[in-house]
Amino acid sequence: PLPTEWRAGEGLLWEVEIPGRGNSSPVVVGDGVLLTSEVSTAAGDELAVICIDRFDGSQRWLTNVAMTRGRTHQKNGFASATVASDGERVFASFGAAGLFCLNMAGELVWKAELPGDGHQWGSASSPVLFAGLVIQLAETPSESWLLAFDARTGREVWRTHRESRGCWSTPVLMERGASGGGDWQLVVNGTSSDNGQAGFVIAYEPSTGRELWRARGTSDIVCPTAIVADDQVISVSNNAVFAVSADGLGDVTTSHVRWRLPSGGAYVPSGVFYRNRIYLITDGGVVTCHRPDSGDTLWRKRFRGTFSASLVAGDGKLYAVSEQGDVQVFEAGDEFVSLATNRFNDRCLATPAISNGQFFVRGESRLYCIGSAGDQRIADARPISADGAVPSPSDRQQPLEDAKATPNDAGGISQNDNL
């Protein structure tokens, strides 16, 4: 089972200082926990990928891949995008500095340049893996693209221009149509404009980058990742929430939008679809539970603090981590039931990770591992989602090659992190 309450000496297995700073989420691959960070060195501020041993918190390796480049927002920083991994390679995006591929020993394999000179608020969109491709959203005020690279060589395979002036959401993969059928689509939540008009959630064919459908209704600046709820996409942005049936073509705003909510969207944190319910959280700590078929609100609760981390779920529980370091644990269900409040003496902006009964939380300066110690190491490294849990049917990336992903033992689900 996943932990509910913990403290030093009871449930808190270890905590370790992390070099530098970053808001990227932990990603668990086999016996390692992968992070990105901005590290100050004698040469200047460098961008690094770090691997931590999941069992004792020791540092396995730290690889500096580039110097920081471009601009960023003070809260965002230069290391907000979470890595993706296929178990053999690690893919890390650092915006204007580029996209990097390392092997599991921390050795650099290839680097790919991303278009543009970055955004004044930095970048946060994480890479996504699909059938031998690494797909990356790269948006700036001057030019914006969705790009795909060969995962083994770094060769650019396709690029699709986007009419957007900035989006910090991570794309999400889902099967197309109510019955699946093996066809996949990549959904990007939001576009920004120069005049503040409502933007679009857009679905693309991941093998080619061809646009499939779009629906208008997002706010102008979007950070949350779209939520996949069976055969529909739940788009969440600043005070805007709507559901789109994901089997259309072209502009489906009038034909496929199933419902809209007048409020309740978030500026930064993503929600989650878990046990046939949609759970959302706002930056101000308002958590709501909704029916996926109608959007009806089943309950509403306000937590103290401010929130940037996305909700995560597993073992019948949901976790909400505030910037102040409080972790609210509550039951998944049609009534709100609080289970515990746990506190870290650390600022927390990154979305936590769930893996094999353990809970990993990244603070401003430390990484924490909570759960049961276990008695053996993991023999193989299976494909892991960008938030650290083996993807579930409602929240999975298509693994490289033809491997099939299965939920982990704890049933952990998490949406990708953002700023």
Side-chain angles (χ1 to χ4, degrees), residues 98-279:
L99 176 68
F100 299 84
C101 173
L102 294 81
N103 62 24
M104 296 306 296
E107 300 165 329
L108 184 64
V109 178
W110 54 258
K111 172 191 174 183
E113 296 288 340
L114 298 176
D117 56 358
H119 199 283
Q120 67 265 33
W121 297 333
S123 62
S125 183
S126 304
V128 176
L129 307 183
F130 175 82
L133 300 176
V134 185
I135 303 174
Q136 181 65 50
L137 185 67
E139 302 215 349
T140 74
S142 59
E143 58 176 323
S144 295
W145 303 88
L146 187 64
L147 305 101
F149 301 89
D150 184 285
R152 296 193 178 277
T153 66
R155 177 183 61 86
E156 185 176 311
V157 177
W158 57 256
R159 68 166 60 191
T160 298
H161 181 259
R162 281 173 47 85
E163 296 177 358
S164 177
R165 297 295 179 264
C167 178
W168 292 263
S169 174
T170 293
V172 62
L173 282 156
M174 68 177 295
E175 289 184 280
R176 183 168 171 79
S179 59
D183 292 331
W184 290 81
Q185 55 188 329
L186 186 74
V187 181
V188 181
N189 188 35
T191 57
S192 295
S193 63
D194 292 328
N195 54 18
Q197 291 184 346
F200 291 90
V201 53
I202 305 177
Y204 301 88
E205 189 175 66
S207 58
T208 65
R210 178 176 66 92
E211 182 177 321
L212 297 172
W213 58 263
R214 61 171 55 198
R216 181 182 291 274
T218 69
S219 64
D220 189 50
I221 298 173
V222 179
C223 299
T225 292
I227 302 170
V228 176
D230 294 329
D231 64 340
Q232 63 182 355
V233 170
I234 312 300
S235 174
V236 179
S237 54
N238 195 16
N239 223 30
V241 182
F242 62 98
V244 186
S245 177
D247 58 355
L249 290 172
D251 191 327
V252 299
T253 305
T254 59
S255 60
H256 284 65
V257 173
R258 294 180 175 178
W259 49 261
R260 295 181 186 269
L261 300 181
S263 61
Y267 180 51
V268 174
S270 302
V272 67
F273 177 63
Y274 183 62
R275 294 191 173 180
N276 200 39
R277 291 293 180 260
I278 299 164
Y279 297 90

Side-chain angles (χ1 to χ4, degrees), residues 25-43:
S25 293
V27 170
V28 183
V29 182
D31 292 344
V33 184
L34 299 164
L35 301 161
T36 63
S37 189
E38 174 192 350
V39 181
S40 295
T41 69

Side-chain angles (χ1 to χ4, degrees), residues 17 39-40 80 114 126 133 222 226 300 324 329 344 348 415:
E17 191 82 19
V39 181
S40 295
S80 285
L114 298 176
S126 304
L133 300 176
V222 179
R300 183 187 309 269
Q324 291 72 31
V329 187
F344 294 102
C348 297
Q415 294 294 134

